[in-house]
């Protein structure tokens, strides 16, 4: 069976354990669009009982950004993508005992798992070994063009209106002669000998077989002049050595498939299942940007156009990691039913890579926040308070070293708003009036509900009646309020709206009487007195 036929026979994403990987380049902090492919790789591995790896593709040393790797790891962890192997994680339990003879951590080849190292910059000797194998087999060759010569070839092709293809000048240079030039210090690269005619067949799990004309492909570089391999070689070697079975990557790599298939075939290696995931777009159908959702999970990334800081969904906006995981999983994938709220365990159980859409996935901010609201409402009140308290502290509403009484008051306040919030970051604005000595009274609302004739008298009498209300709970407060309102000839909203504005400064909010119960007698009476002063001014 040929390699391509082998792939086709296994392309239905069978239930056998899949080894997948996320292999970012630490050239910047990732946003949610970048991480969607990692999430799909994670789901496939977990669904099949396989492993999910983190590998760092850092061979392009000129583009590395300090701190980017830390942001990548923090984003994966915050999103709940717990990888089994990686540069910072040991994986003793998953070591193949037959291969290594023992699961003793001291005998693992590298820290972080059984298939390390997980930094490409630490694997240069391995890449050189593979390149030498290809050279010795006559499947690759040294090329000695200078940078200026290559630029002249590109310019000539551009003038002819043709795509640039390397002219294979050194393809047939005897290896011994080429190695002599290398030993003499001649600058060089190594290129793979690609087919020069006929079809090149590749296979993608979403799109099926593609046939490429060999005359459109050139002999690409597999070892650069600086001794580092490009992605085309390093990624394929790593996937083979780490026994990756399914490669999920962005569809921008689809056009590179002929290179990768030919390289793997030249080495006689098994070809993994490739699945090129479509792009992620915003709800406006345009490329993700700050405006339509290209934000990090945690931390801060820079807007590439303005340099402006873009803060994260989880630590800044207050989106729950489990809600972001849920929403992102449905960006370009569907379980085949009209389901939108699925916890992580259900997503893993239902995941079928064959159902990934071939059309771009849409990252809809409105849907994300609606999903987050569902998850917020499902939290136990104490869990909701625990997650929301840091946002109140950051806004200066609750001291960092708040005592138990202050924490309990904040928790009681937050419980009133739990049903109304879509993100944790909305908590300070929604609850701010609970923590001030007196609320801010909007002139329009005050004029509408506090200034009309009789409002001052009504609120004054209500304050007097509440002084001795007992017990101080929502039921008692409501009974007293409606009794006083009836005495003043008021009905329905004419009873509650002036009181709401008086005690909160707002025309909308949580249940009025629950709100008054949480505010406490002293705050309510002080606010009623202030409202009477405004009404009479």
């Amino acid at each position: 069976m040929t390699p391509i036929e082998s792939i086709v026979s296994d392309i239905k994403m069978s239930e056998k354990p899949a080894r997948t990987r996320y292999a970012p380049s630490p050239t910047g902090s990732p946003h949610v669009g970048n991480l969607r492919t990692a999430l799909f790789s994670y789901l496939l591995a977990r669904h099949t009982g396989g492993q999910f790896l983190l590998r760092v593709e850092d061979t392009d040393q000129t583009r590395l950004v300090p701190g980017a790797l830390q942001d990548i790891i923090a984003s994966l962890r915050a999103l709940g993508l717990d990888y089994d192997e990686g540069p910072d994680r040991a994986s003793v339990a998953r070591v193949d005992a037959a291969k290594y003879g023992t699961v003793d951590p001291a005998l693992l080849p590298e820290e972080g798992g059984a298939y390390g190292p997980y930094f490409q910059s630490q694997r240069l000797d391995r890449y050189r070994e593979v390149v030498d194998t290809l050279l010795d087999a006559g499947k690759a060759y040294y090329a000695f063009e200078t940078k200026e010569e290559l630029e002249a070839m590109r310019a000539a092709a551009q003038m002819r209106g043709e795509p640039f293809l390397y002219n294979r000048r050194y393809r047939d240079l005897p290896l011994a002669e080429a190695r002599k030039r290398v030993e003499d210090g001649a600058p060089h690269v190594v290129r793979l000998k690609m087919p020069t005619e006929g079809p090149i067949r590749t296979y993608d799990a979403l799109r099926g077989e593609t046939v490429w004309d060999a005359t459109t492909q050139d002999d690409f570089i597999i070892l650069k002049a600086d001794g580092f391999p490009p992605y085309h070689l390093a990624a394929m070697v790593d996937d083979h050595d780490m026994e990756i079975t399914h490669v999920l990557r962005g569809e921008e790599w689809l056009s590179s498939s002929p290179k990768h298939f030919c390289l793997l075939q030249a080495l006689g290696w098994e070809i993994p299942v490739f699945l090129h995931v479509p792009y992620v777009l915003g709800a406006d159908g345009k490329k993700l940007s700050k405006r339509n959702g290209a934000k990090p999970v945690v931390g801060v990334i820079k807007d590439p156009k303005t340099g402006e800081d873009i803060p994260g969904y989880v630590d800044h906006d207050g989106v729950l990691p489990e809600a972001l995981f849920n929403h992102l999983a449905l960006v370009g994938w569907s379980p085949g039913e009209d389901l939108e709220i699925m916890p992580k365990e259900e997503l893993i159980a239902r995941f079928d890579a064959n159902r990934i859409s071939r059309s771009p996935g849409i990252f809809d901010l409105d849907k994300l926040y609606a999903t987050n609201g569902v998850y917020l409402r499902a939290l136990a009140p104490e869990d909701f308070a625990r997650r929301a308290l840091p946002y109140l502290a950051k806004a200066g509403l609750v001291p960092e070293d708040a005592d138990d009484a202050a924490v309990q008051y904040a928790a009681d306040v937050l419980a009133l708003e739990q049903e109304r919030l879509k993100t944790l970051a909305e908590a300070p604005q929604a609850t701010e009036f609970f923590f001030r000595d007196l609320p801010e009274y909007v002139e329009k609302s005050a004029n509408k509900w506090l200034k009309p004739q009789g409002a001052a008298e009504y609120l004054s009498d209500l304050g007097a009646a509440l002084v001795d209300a007992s017990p101080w709970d929502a039921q008692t407060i409501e009974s007293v309020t409606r009794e006083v309102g009836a005495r003043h000839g008021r009905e329905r909203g004419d009873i509650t709206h002036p009181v709401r504005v008086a005690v909160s400064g707002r025309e909308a909010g949580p249940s009025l009487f629950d709100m008054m119960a949480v505010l406490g007698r002293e705050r309510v009476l002080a606010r009623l007195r202030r409202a009477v002063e405004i009404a009479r001014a």
Side-chain angles (χ1 to χ4, degrees):
M1 181 178 288
T2 66
I4 189 66
E5 290 168 340
S6 175
I7 297 169
V8 174
S9 69
D10 191 42
I11 209 63
K12 293 184 178 181
M13 300 294 182
S14 65
E15 292 297 304
K16 70 179 184 180
R19 278 179 64 85
T20 66
R21 46 73 165 178
Y22 177 51
S25 297
T27 55
S29 301
H31 61 66
V32 290
N34 306 132
L35 291 167
R36 197 274 308 264
T37 302
L39 189 146
F40 283 171
S41 296
Y42 171 86
L43 287 173
L44 177 60
R46 291 290 175 265
H47 176 76
T48 60
Q51 298 88 43
F52 173 60
L53 285 62
L54 172 64
R55 186 174 75 223
V56 183
E57 298 189 345
D58 62 340
T59 54
D60 192 344
Q61 297 282 296
T62 63
R63 297 178 59 231
L64 303 186
V65 173
L69 177 58
Q70 290 87 333
D71 289 346
I72 290 168
I73 291 174
S75 297
L76 292 171
R77 288 179 173 170
L79 195 55
L81 303 182
D82 48 309
Y83 44 91
D84 302 285
E85 301 171 32
D88 65 332
R89 185 179 181 94
S91 185
V92 177
R94 294 184 181 275
V95 172
D96 184 344
K99 183 172 182 179
Y100 294 102
T102 177
V103 293
D104 183 351
L107 299 181
L108 291 178
E110 291 290 337
E111 179 67 19
Y115 295 83
Y118 295 91
F119 286 99
Q120 287 187 336
S121 59
Q122 297 174 353
R123 298 174 58 82
L124 299 183
D125 289 346
R126 171 57 175 156
Y127 304 137
R128 182 75 235 191
E129 175 188 324
V130 172
V131 169
D132 286 341
T133 297
L134 291 167
L135 286 167
D136 291 340
K139 296 178 179 179
Y141 60 96
Y142 291 102
F144 299 94
E145 285 87 2
T146 65
K147 181 180 179 181
E148 291 73 20
E149 289 174 325
L150 289 171
E151 288 177 351
M153 292 181 203
R154 290 191 180 90
Q158 186 175 13
M159 290 184 63
R160 294 192 302 268
E162 300 173 355
F164 169 69
L165 288 176
Y166 174 64
N167 63 11
R168 298 184 168 99
R169 174 181 175 184
Y170 294 96
R171 181 173 170 123
D172 297 321
L173 183 67
L175 181 58
E177 183 178 340
R179 280 188 167 147
K180 179 64 169 58
R181 295 181 64 167
V182 170
E183 290 169 2
D184 291 342
H188 62 279
V189 298
V190 178
R191 292 178 179 270
L192 184 76
K193 292 183 178 179
M194 289 284 283
T196 57
E197 60 183 9
I200 299 174
R201 301 180 183 277
T202 66
Y203 203 93
D204 171 76
L206 292 183
R207 299 163 182 82
E209 186 181 64
T210 300
V211 179
W212 310 77
D213 184 348
T215 62
T216 65
Q217 306 293 316
D218 62 3
D219 293 350
F220 64 97
I221 294 173
I222 57 174
L223 193 70
K224 297 182 291 184
D226 61 4
F228 280 78
Y231 170 87
H232 300 304
L233 178 102
M236 298 306 104
V237 173
D238 292 346
D239 287 340
H240 169 76
D241 289 357
M242 296 178 185
E243 299 183 9
I244 300 302
T245 62
H246 296 73
V247 175
L248 279 70
R249 59 185 184 179
E251 68 179 354
E252 65 270 19
W253 291 106
L254 186 62
S255 61
S256 298
S257 295
K259 294 180 173 64
H260 301 156
F261 273 64
C262 287
L263 175 61
L264 292 168
Q265 288 170 330
L267 289 164
W269 291 348
E270 182 177 352
I271 298 176
V273 176
F274 284 92
L275 193 158
H276 294 86
V277 180
Y279 296 109
V280 177
L281 305 179
D284 54 5
K286 297 180 180 178
K287 183 180 178 181
L288 277 188
S289 65
K290 176 195 173 187
R291 182 174 55 81
N292 63 8
K295 299 173 66 172
V297 175
V298 294
V300 174
I301 59 176
K302 293 285 186 182
D303 186 303
K305 293 184 178 179
T306 67
E308 180 183 359
D309 285 346
I310 305 174
Y313 281 109
V314 171
D315 55 345
H316 181 270
D317 292 3
V319 173
L320 299 182
E322 51 267 46
L324 183 56
F325 187 106
N326 186 161
H327 179 70
L328 199 56
L330 298 179
V331 175
W333 174 80
S334 167
E337 301 176 32
D338 190 19
L339 297 172
E340 293 188 353
I341 305 301
M342 287 179 284
K344 183 177 182 179
E345 294 73 17
E346 183 176 355
L347 286 164
I348 290 172
R350 289 179 173 271
F351 188 73
D352 178 357
N354 291 298
R355 298 195 65 86
I356 295 174
S357 173
R358 284 189 283 179
S359 301
I362 302 300
F363 188 82
D364 189 323
L365 284 171
D366 290 339
K367 286 187 177 181
L368 169 63
Y369 294 133
T371 297
N372 196 59
V374 173
Y375 275 84
L376 287 177
R377 292 189 289 276
L379 292 176
E382 59 273 16
D383 191 12
F384 176 75
R386 177 183 61 81
R387 299 196 196 204
L389 272 171
Y391 292 86
L392 300 187
K394 185 177 180 181
L397 300 178
V398 177
E400 294 282 355
D401 56 350
D403 58 25
D404 291 345
V407 170
Q408 184 58 57
Y409 176 68
D412 292 341
V413 167
L414 288 165
L416 295 179
E417 293 289 353
Q418 184 171 353
E419 292 292 318
R420 295 161 48 83
L421 299 184
K422 289 186 176 180
T423 71
L424 295 173
E426 295 174 345
Q429 192 279 331
T431 64
E432 182 266 347
F433 70 89
F434 281 94
F435 299 95
R436 306 302 184 194
D437 290 337
L438 291 170
E440 294 183 5
Y441 294 97
V442 178
E443 184 176 0
K444 181 179 178 181
S445 297
N447 288 339
K448 181 178 180 180
W449 295 107
L450 304 183
K451 292 290 189 178
Q453 185 176 1
E457 291 73 20
Y458 166 51
L459 296 175
S460 179
D461 286 355
L462 176 60
L466 289 173
V467 168
D468 297 320
S470 181
W472 185 263
D473 58 22
Q475 184 176 354
T476 301
I477 296 167
E478 179 176 7
S479 177
V480 171
T481 302
R482 295 197 184 282
E483 181 181 335
V484 174
R487 290 206 306 265
H488 281 258
R490 291 173 173 264
E491 296 180 352
R492 298 180 180 176
D494 226 15
I495 292 176
T496 56
H497 288 320
V499 181
R500 180 181 292 280
V501 173
V503 299
S504 71
R506 306 181 181 190
E507 294 186 48
S511 167
L512 171 61
F513 306 112
D514 288 333
M515 178 176 70
M516 294 171 70
V518 170
L519 277 166
R521 193 189 310 269
E522 290 185 10
R523 290 188 186 87
V524 169
L525 296 181
R527 294 175 183 208
L528 287 172
R529 288 193 294 270
R530 177 56 181 153
V532 169
E533 293 174 1
I534 293 173
R536 290 174 174 168

